[in-house]
Every structure is written in structure tokens, then in C-alpha cells.
Amino acid sequence: MRLRGAFTVGVAGAMVLAGCSSTSEPDSPPVDASALAASVTEGGVVGHLEQLQTIAENNNGNRAAGTSGYDDSVDYVAQVLEDKGFDVETPEFEFHNFDVRTEALRSGDRDFEVRALAYSPSTGPDGITARLVPAPKDESPGCEVTDYDGLDVTGAIVLVNRGVCPFAAKQQLASERGAAGVIVVNNEDGPMNGGTLGDPDVGKVPTGGVSKADGAALEQAGGDVTLTLDTTTESSTARNVIAQTKTGSTEDVVMVGAHLDSVPDGPGINDNGTGVAATLETAVQLGGSPDVDNAVRFAFWGAEELGLLGSEAYVNSLSEDQRNDIALYLNFDMLGSENAGYLAYDGDNSDNVGEGPGPEGSAGIERTFTEFLQNNGVAADGTDFDGRSDYGPFIEHGIPSGGVFSGADETKTPEQSQKWGGTPDVVYDENYHSATDTLENVNRAALAKNAAAVAYAVGVYAESLAGPNGVPTGADREKARAAE
């Protein structure tokens, strides 16, 4: 699961659609959701985690996108799926990995918090020292070349308010007038998180962002400032793994996904080996030619930790008709956190927190998970569609989505601890994005429960999209998505 507000990336190109016909005959009895859930055992799931752990150990301790550890992970997953009779593709996409070594800003004897905008050119490790020149605060600050009429910004660092035009336009115009750097002032309280110039090719001068309060303090102080944004941007490629059953309607595809990459700092066994292993074992138990009404398409995404790049590349590669053939998307990212929560994406926004409800049909998906967990002794809570995992590109296109989640860097409440066990007032996963995200620190009991929920939901929707927990089909689907 990617870190909220991480600086990353753009996709330069991507690939393919697994769009198979449903001419093959089933090679198994009709799928039963409860039986499929029972077949996905802790032992089967852990077996895949052992393989992913070994891959990381053999490849500098991680499985990050663009590394040999990630490539070996792709090969492992693809081989398992091919052996079970799936049609498998590994489409490649290009991505830009933006890395920040140092972010620093000093005025006089005071240090300010500054965030590099993604794809900002580098100042180098020593930074740049220059006079600070505020741009006019008009209705379109720094968005018109005339904003700098009569203002000498040659060799200066321009302080400009956020708003109206893209960050890229602000820094380009300042650069054209000779500025050496740009600091963008947030238009709301808090730091400038997640800002981007959009593409490596548009970056002209080092560009960072500061909070509204710090912007005011910098302007009041005036004089020279030293800005250090030591950054690099590297282009690379990664692959997704896409596998689809040879049976079931390809006009009502049940899509199931988990990101396959780790962060560079560790092997990524909970984040997200657990989601991968549960999804992969569900595919193994389902088989490549099951007796289902709806085709099931499994996806293992690359470069999620760099900004949902693999899933974004895939969804953007599809035509509108191809996206409409996807009935729903199920996402699984972290299922065995050490201090585990039991969380289902809040499809109906009943918690009234954050980003609001998912697309029409997401509420039914949430109920499918919560009812299954409830019947197995677990009272799940909701969790917001906060944009931190690969459902993001799907809900942007109105595709109903859902999934279960055991928590990342948020804190377990005393009430949750009383319901589920574990330690209150401690984060769900203290090993998140670290070298200790290993199999040893996976909560196997939570993983087993969540993996069963994965398989159950796949079985439910592979059998039917109808019923009180169903999702729109046919003309209702087109109408629902047109309204998004």
C-alpha cells in the first residue's frame, strides 16, 4: 500500500487487455462461494508467502518495481497461474520514479518545512541561495506572463500562491523570466502534500511547496533564502500480471487485484504479499476453466508503491467498452497486519468519513464482505476509499469496488481492540514499509480469515451479479457509470 502523499510518478505507456471469449467448457463442478472460501487455507496462502520471502532474500531484501526481485515475483505468479490453466499476460508499462534525497529551506536563522513537487529539477545537494521575490497576489497568481511585468526575478527564488493554473505553468513562467527556483504557497492550512509538475519533461527550475502560514512568514522575512531540493527522476519499466478464466461471460467480468511490488526498504510480505497470496490461492482453487456465469480476471499490479502506476496504466489502456465489461473490482492490499484490524471498504459511506461512497454497487460489495465476516465471528468496521491502493483508477471510471484490509499505519482504537483483540493505541502494522515486514510478523489468524473472505466474494460474483448485494448490469450499468 502506497504512502499517502508520496511523491511519484507518471505513466508513459502501457498495455493490454485480457479479453478472452467464453467458448471453453468448464472442467469443474459449479462454483460455490462457501466451498471456494473453505478451500483457500492458511497453509496454501502461507506457501505463496514463503516463495515471495525467498525471492526477496535472493534479491537484496526487496521486491520493488524495477528490480530483479520484482521480476522474479512476476515470473512466480505467472507460472502458478499458467499451471492452473489460465490465459496469462504480463503487459509492460513505463514509469518515472521520482526520488527526493533532501528537502530543506532556510531563511535567516529559521528552517521551514518544504516539499519537493514531483518531477522538480534538482538543486543539487548544496542547494541554491538567492533573494526571495513574491509574485503578485492577483486573481491568477503566477499564471500570466504579465504577472512579472516590472518585477525583476532574474536569479531569484519566486514565492507564488497556489491556485488557478497548474504548478507546472507557474514554474515555467517564472523560469522564462529568469527565476532560479519557485516556492509555491499552499492555499489552505497544512503542508503541500502530493504536489506534482505532472511530467519530468516540464520541470524547468527547482520547485517546492510550503504551508500557508510558512509562506506568510517567508514573505515577511524577505531577504535571501537557501532552497535545497536534491532530487532524481529515473525512467524504468515494470510488468503487470493479468490472468483470466477461459469460462464465464466476458461482458460481466469480475476483476480481482493485488499489488505485487514491495517498497525498496523490505520484502513486503504483509504489504502486499498477503494480498497477492490470498488472491493467487483463490485463483489456484478456482482454476482456469471453472463452471461460472461470469469470467474472473485476476490482476497483480506493478509499481503500486510508486503511485498506483500499474493499475492506472492498465485501466487507462482500456476502451470505454472494455471498462464497461468489468462488472466490479475487488482489491486486496494488506491482509495480515501484526496488530490486525478487520476492515471493509466503506462502499455506502455509512461512516461518513473522507472521500464518500464508492460507485453504485460498492455498497453491496461491502455487505458481501461484512456479512461473511460476521457469519465467521468477526464484526468488521468500515474504512474509507482514501486513494491509497489500486481501486483508485477503477472508481474514477465508475466501476463498483470493494475489499478487505487489516490496516497499515493508522492506530487501533480501544474499542477495536476490545472487539478484535490486539493492542489499543498502537498502529495496525508497526512493520509497515520496513525491513521487518516479513513472514515472521504476519498475523496468520487474521490472514486466514481475510483470505477466506477474498475467495468467498470472488465466488459470489463469479456465480451471479444479481441479488441485494449485486452490482448494476446491462443498461443499468451504463446509466450508473454515465452518472458518475
Side-chain angles (χ1 to χ4, degrees):
M1 172 167 282
R2 76 184 182 105
L3 183 67
R4 185 185 288 113
F7 294 118
T8 48
V9 300
V11 174
M15 285 12 324
V16 86
L17 164 70
C20 313
S21 67
S22 53
T23 56
S24 297
E25 291 297 322
D27 59 10
S28 59
V31 168
D32 174 81
S34 295
L36 183 61
S39 72
V40 174
T41 64
E42 178 184 327
V45 174
V46 169
H48 299 303
L49 292 180
E50 290 171 341
Q51 293 296 319
L52 295 175
Q53 178 88 47
T54 298
I55 288 170
E57 290 170 353
N58 291 339
N59 290 276
N60 300 311
N62 72 78
R63 301 179 300 100
T67 70
S68 58
Y70 182 74
D71 289 339
D72 287 353
S73 300
V74 167
D75 293 342
Y76 171 70
V77 169
Q79 189 63 60
V80 169
L81 292 164
E82 288 173 1
D83 290 347
K84 297 304 295 185
F86 285 88
D87 288 322
V88 181
E89 297 172 325
T90 58
E92 186 175 87
F93 60 94
E94 183 180 6
F95 65 91
H96 305 297
N97 188 7
F98 178 70
D99 183 57
V100 181
R101 296 189 184 95
T102 305
E103 298 169 305
L105 177 62
R106 189 169 182 83
S107 174
D109 59 358
R110 181 177 171 185
D111 292 318
F112 292 85
E113 182 179 9
V114 64
R115 303 287 176 87
L117 273 61
Y119 306 131
S120 167
S122 180
T123 63
D126 296 329
I128 55 175
T129 299
R131 57 196 173 90
L132 186 71
V133 178
K137 298 180 179 65
D138 56 20
E139 293 182 355
S140 58
C143 297
E144 305 289 341
V145 68
T146 54
D147 288 344
Y148 296 101
D149 286 352
L151 194 64
D152 179 14
V153 299
T154 302
I157 294 175
V158 170
L159 185 73
V160 62
N161 283 2
R162 181 178 188 173
V164 181
C165 65
F167 299 129
K170 293 179 187 289
Q171 61 92 40
Q172 182 169 349
L173 286 170
S175 171
E176 289 172 357
R177 286 301 185 100
V182 171
I183 299 170
V184 182
V185 180
N186 208 355
N187 53 8
E188 56 188 35
D189 294 334
M192 183 82 76
N193 288 326
T196 178
L197 300 181
D199 188 274
D201 294 335
V202 305
K204 303 301 181 184
V205 293
T207 305
V210 297
S211 69
K212 186 176 181 179
D214 283 351
L218 283 162
E219 183 173 1
Q220 184 176 12
D224 287 353
V225 298
T226 299
L227 175 67
T228 306
L229 301 175
D230 189 11
T231 67
T232 60
T233 301
E234 296 180 353
S235 296
S236 187
T237 60
R239 293 177 291 164
N240 293 322
V241 181
I242 310 292
Q244 183 162 301
T245 59
K246 297 175 180 177
T247 50
S249 169
T250 56
E251 296 180 353
D252 290 303
V253 174
V254 177
M255 192 151 190
V256 190
H259 78 83
L260 185 53
D261 61 316
S262 74
V263 294
D265 292 333
I269 300 305
N270 186 39
D271 183 17
N272 180 38
T274 53
V276 167
T279 301
L280 184 58
E281 185 62 12
T282 297
V284 166
Q285 297 303 323
L286 183 69
S289 298
D291 188 352
V292 291
D293 285 345
N294 307 309
V296 182
R297 185 179 302 162
F298 294 95
F300 300 86
W301 306 118
E304 187 269 0
E305 297 290 3
L306 300 177
L308 318 182
L309 299 190
S311 56
E312 184 178 83
Y314 180 79
V315 173
N316 289 344
S317 76
L318 306 182
S319 68
E320 183 176 355
D321 286 344
Q322 289 166 340
R323 284 193 289 266
N324 281 337
D325 286 340
I326 300 173
L328 70 154
Y329 174 67
L330 304 177
N331 189 73
F332 304 108
D333 190 352
M334 302 181 65
L335 303 182
S337 302
E338 194 170 29
N339 191 33
Y342 292 91
L343 305 164
Y345 291 115
D346 187 15
D348 60 1
N349 198 35
S350 57
D351 295 343
N352 197 30
V353 173
E355 295 301 316
E360 185 175 343
S362 301
I365 298 171
E366 181 187 8
R367 288 192 297 271
T368 294
F369 285 113
T370 57
E371 289 170 5
F372 175 81
L373 290 170
Q374 185 69 52
N375 290 337
N376 286 274
V378 178
D381 284 352
T383 187
D384 181 41
F385 283 115
D386 61 10
R388 293 181 67 178
S389 195
D390 290 298
Y391 55 77
F394 290 87
I395 62 178
E396 284 180 7
H397 287 280
I399 297 171
S401 300
V404 288
F405 172 46
S406 60
D409 53 350
E410 305 88 350
T411 300
K412 179 181 278 188
T413 68
E415 294 77 16
Q416 291 172 330
S417 181
Q418 188 172 13
K419 277 199 303 184
W420 304 325
T423 307
D425 301 319
V426 172
V427 296
Y428 296 117
D429 189 2
E430 291 186 303
N431 309 293
Y432 178 63
H433 282 189
S434 75
T436 57
D437 184 6
T438 62
L439 182 55
E440 180 182 6
N441 291 321
V442 167
N443 184 326
R444 296 195 183 192
L447 175 60
K449 291 182 175 68
N450 284 320
V454 172
Y456 179 78
V458 171
V460 165
Y461 293 110
E463 291 179 85
S464 175
L465 304 177
N469 293 343
V471 298
T473 59
D476 290 337
R477 179 185 302 164
E478 293 184 15
K479 181 179 179 181
R481 296 189 187 179
E484 288 291 330

